[in-house]
Amino acid sequence: MLSRYTNDYMQQIIRSIMKTVNIDLEIKPDHSGINMSYNFIGNYLGVDFQRLIRSWEEIQSPISFESYINILTIHELGHALDRSALLDSLERTIEFFQTKKSYLASEIYNNKDLLFNLLEEHEMNITFEETAWMNAERLNKKFSLFDPSSFELVKKHSLESYQRVYLDDLKSYELLIEGLSEKTA
């Protein structure tokens, strides 16, 4: 069954949604391990086609592959609608990137300021994700693309991945602060 899910087939699904909502972006294959992402600097949609299939398989619910791709596409188009805010965050995004590039993970997770910086990045990303989902929901209502339950299922699955990483890092931060306060007590 999965053999029919070629890159061309998946691109056709994505293009169909773009055409329906009248938002046309270039689609660029990538191998980042992220199923689909909107690149706000280049204003294009990056798609890791193999990861897209695996992420659909991870959802423990009966949602068709086509619906899954459509919902993710509308979400990424929701980011495109928020492009000006994303561009406004570019300077801060570069700072986050340079910090992560300049330090080892062990250094970040053992320095309260660096770890706090990482939490700030997570919070910013979650805000952008939530905004993109709100924009996607508006597009969905306007064009009646998907049933609300399927939409909510994919939205929940997507947001949980961001929130899980944030909560793990928040716990690390709390433990670090607790350890530092015990040393000064």
Side-chain angles (χ1 to χ4, degrees):
M1 179 174 138
L2 292 180
S3 62
R4 76 177 193 163
Y5 299 141
T6 65
N7 293 3
D8 287 341
Y9 177 71
M10 291 182 266
Q11 279 196 32
Q12 287 174 352
I13 296 169
I14 295 167
R15 291 231 173 272
S16 173
I17 286 293
M18 287 183 186
K19 184 176 181 179
T20 298
V21 300
N22 200 29
I23 300 174
D24 187 32
L25 299 174
E26 181 181 0
I27 300 171
K28 291 187 178 184
D30 82 27
H31 305 287
S32 64
I34 299 171
N35 52 21
M36 195 181 295
S37 62
Y38 172 66
N39 182 303
F40 67 91
I41 298 168
N43 196 32
Y44 66 85
L45 197 63
V47 182
D48 186 330
F49 293 103
Q50 296 312 304
R51 178 64 188 131
L52 190 57
I53 294 169
R54 288 192 313 274
S55 63
W56 168 66
E57 292 172 331
E58 291 169 5
I59 291 189
Q60 303 286 316
S61 184
I63 181 171
S64 74
F65 185 59
E66 292 78 7
S67 291
Y68 181 72
I69 292 175
N70 285 333
I71 293 168
L72 282 183
T73 300
I74 202 93
H75 164 70
E76 296 306 332
L77 297 177
H79 281 300
L81 293 174
D82 194 33
R83 185 172 187 226
S84 61
L86 289 163
L87 287 169
D88 288 345
S89 76
L90 184 58
E91 185 176 320
R92 190 70 176 130
T93 299
I94 291 169
E95 288 173 20
F96 291 138
F97 175 78
Q98 289 177 336
T99 297
K100 288 192 290 192
K101 189 175 151 189
S102 299
Y103 296 93
L104 298 171
S106 60
E107 292 175 302
I108 293 172
Y109 283 93
N110 286 298
N111 180 304
K112 69 178 178 66
D113 295 326
L114 295 175
L115 191 49
F116 185 79
N117 192 20
L118 185 61
L119 291 173
E120 283 184 280
E121 180 185 22
H122 288 317
E123 290 168 357
M124 183 178 80
N125 289 338
I126 289 170
T127 299
F128 284 130
E129 287 300 307
E130 290 171 342
T131 300
W133 281 111
M134 285 188 289
N135 289 339
E137 191 167 6
R138 283 189 209 106
L139 287 171
N140 190 38
K141 285 180 181 176
K142 181 176 180 179
F143 293 98
S144 300
L145 301 167
F146 331 105
D147 68 278
S149 62
S150 294
F151 183 88
E152 285 301 317
L153 176 77
V154 176
K155 174 183 170 184
K156 181 178 184 280
H157 183 259
S158 175
L159 285 174
E160 282 176 351
S161 66
Y162 286 88
Q163 292 162 340
R164 187 171 34 255
V165 174
Y166 170 74
L167 291 173
D168 287 348
D169 285 346
L170 179 60
K171 182 69 174 170
S172 296
Y173 180 77
E174 290 168 348
L175 290 171
L176 181 63
I177 294 299
E178 184 179 304
L180 290 174
S181 64
E182 287 175 0
K183 287 180 182 179
T184 58

